[in-house]
Amino acid sequence: MAKTVIIKETGGPEVLRVVDRDVGEPGPGEIRIRHAACGLNYIDTYQRSGLYKLDLPHALGMEAAGVVEAVGEGVTHLAPGDRAAYAAVPPGAYAEARVMPAAQVCPLPEPIAFEDGAAMMLKGLTVQYLFHRTTPLGPGDTVLFHAAAGGVGLIACQWARSEGIRLIGTAGGREKCRLAEDHGAEVCIDYRDADWVSRVQDLTGGKGVAAVMDGVGADTFEGSLDCLAPLGMMISFGNASGPVPPFEIATLGAKGSLKLTRPLLFTHIADHAACQEMAAMLMGKVAAGEVKLRIDQRFPLEEVAEAHRALEARKTTGSTVLTV
């Protein structure tokens, strides 16, 4: 048996329930993993609220780290006793232990702590695809990154610095802006006090940025388009402020033949080999000290509802983990 967080209905944090569930044995292509820590992400709140649909009842949680207890037939990249971490579907990471598909579970090198492994996989693999698998970016390019003091944002700030990419961030409040700048943002704009679109244009000499990486959604989408250089790429990868409303596609042409994509991490990591390659790059940056995980909030698994409330109230910085 393992304590597991489930929802039987969609709604606010109050629908989260901690129950005891039988774990069972792994079948072909599966593993059983006992978690040391679980990651908290905005996608978890989308699933809990019903924005992203699940068949109910369903367990929640998309990333965790721990020790492999058993492997099923055909699993060759992991063995019992291995340290491992993952971001993967189906949801179910908010648990002491679980049986799950093995393909997206990755070996976790010994120098990387379990809490770091739990905090970095979904966020870090997201940053990997934003910088390496979405649009060509290289040294000297400038990008705009919203919510630069969040868990994904602080990894992105460091990632950009490690690759010579100029990152302009936005965040809510001077303290959060300083945090982003300390982690590698060239400058971070307080969107509460500044006309951030004009500031971005000033900082780029009126040229705009090569790409906008926007996990905020409705509140920032239109302004983000106005920050792009001609032929620039708008990457809308999240909905923290709500989903982007419908808009006229001709707007992209009028604003400079812009490009728009709405990527999902789980498309990028669906292929086993690609997932392992992306994870190896992420773990290499962490092991080399180019990316350091900042875990500013820790909640016991039983207090998962409080963790969701803090995240949705934008009271968190860096990453948040649930301890098991």
Side-chain angles (χ1 to χ4, degrees):
M1 303 295 288
K3 286 185 172 60
T4 304
V5 178
I6 68 165
I7 57 170
K8 294 183 178 181
E9 59 185 351
T10 57
E14 70 279 356
V15 304
L16 296 164
R17 297 283 183 269
V18 181
V19 301
D20 289 318
R21 299 180 83 183
D22 183 48
V23 179
E25 296 297 322
E30 294 181 331
I31 64 162
R32 185 175 72 238
I33 183 169
R34 184 156 297 275
H35 296 147
C38 314
L40 181 73
N41 296 281
Y42 250 103
I43 190 173
D44 307 342
T45 71
Y46 304 156
Q47 292 167 344
R48 188 210 71 224
S49 70
L51 179 63
Y52 290 179
K53 303 299 182 184
L54 295 175
D55 293 330
L56 301 179
H58 210 295
L60 288 188
M62 307 296 283
E63 68 176 345
V67 176
V68 177
E69 291 188 328
V71 302
E73 180 183 353
V75 177
T76 59
H77 70 293
L78 294 166
D82 283 354
R83 305 170 81 251
Y86 65 86
V89 291
Y94 291 177
E96 292 177 325
R98 69 182 295 199
V99 168
M100 64 180 295
Q104 279 67 50
V105 183
C106 305
L108 183 68
E110 189 66 43
I112 302 176
F114 284 125
E115 284 195 355
D116 287 347
M120 77 180 188
M121 292 299 288
L122 192 147
K123 302 170 190 68
L125 292 174
T126 296
V127 173
Q128 199 278 345
Y129 85 67
L130 289 173
F131 281 87
H132 288 273
R133 294 170 61 89
T134 308
T135 192
L137 292 170
D141 286 331
T142 301
V143 301
L144 173 64
F145 199 101
H146 290 299
V152 179
L154 292 184
I155 295 174
C157 290
Q158 297 173 82
W159 197 291
R161 179 172 60 188
S162 75
E163 299 190 349
I165 294 170
R166 181 190 187 201
L167 186 144
I168 300 170
T170 69
R174 190 56 234 160
E175 184 176 346
K176 286 189 175 184
C177 287
R178 281 195 296 269
L179 184 61
E181 290 166 356
D182 288 345
H183 282 74
E186 179 176 296
V187 63
C188 189
I189 303 164
D190 184 351
Y191 61 77
R192 294 176 179 174
D193 300 328
D195 181 351
W196 55 269
V197 175
S198 296
R199 287 278 285 128
V200 171
Q201 290 295 339
D202 290 344
L203 289 164
T204 59
K207 296 179 180 179
V209 299
V212 176
M213 301 174 179
D214 188 348
V216 174
D219 288 353
T220 51
F221 181 79
E222 288 191 15
S224 293
L225 294 180
D226 292 331
C227 292
L228 283 165
L231 307 179
M233 173 66 83
M234 175 67 193
I235 310 171
S236 179
F237 70 95
N239 314 288
S241 66
V244 175
F247 78 106
E248 292 292 335
I249 194 169
T251 301
L252 299 176
K255 289 183 179 290
S257 300
L258 305 179
K259 294 165 282 188
L260 168 65
T261 184
R262 180 54 174 94
L264 294 174
L265 170 63
F266 298 104
T267 306
H268 285 278
I269 64 173
D271 176 75
H272 168 72
C275 177
Q276 300 296 320
E277 181 181 342
M278 292 167 66
M281 177 180 284
L282 168 62
M283 292 178 186
K285 285 188 179 288
V286 173
E290 294 179 343
V291 170
K292 296 180 180 179
L293 281 298
R294 182 180 173 115
I295 301 172
D296 288 343
Q297 299 79 213
R298 292 171 175 83
F299 294 85
L301 184 66
E302 292 80 0
E303 296 180 12
V304 61
E306 289 305 311
H308 273 231
R309 290 187 183 100
L311 182 65
E312 291 181 295
R314 301 190 183 184
K315 292 181 178 179
T316 64
T317 54
S319 297
T320 302
V321 297
L322 303 175
T323 56
V324 180

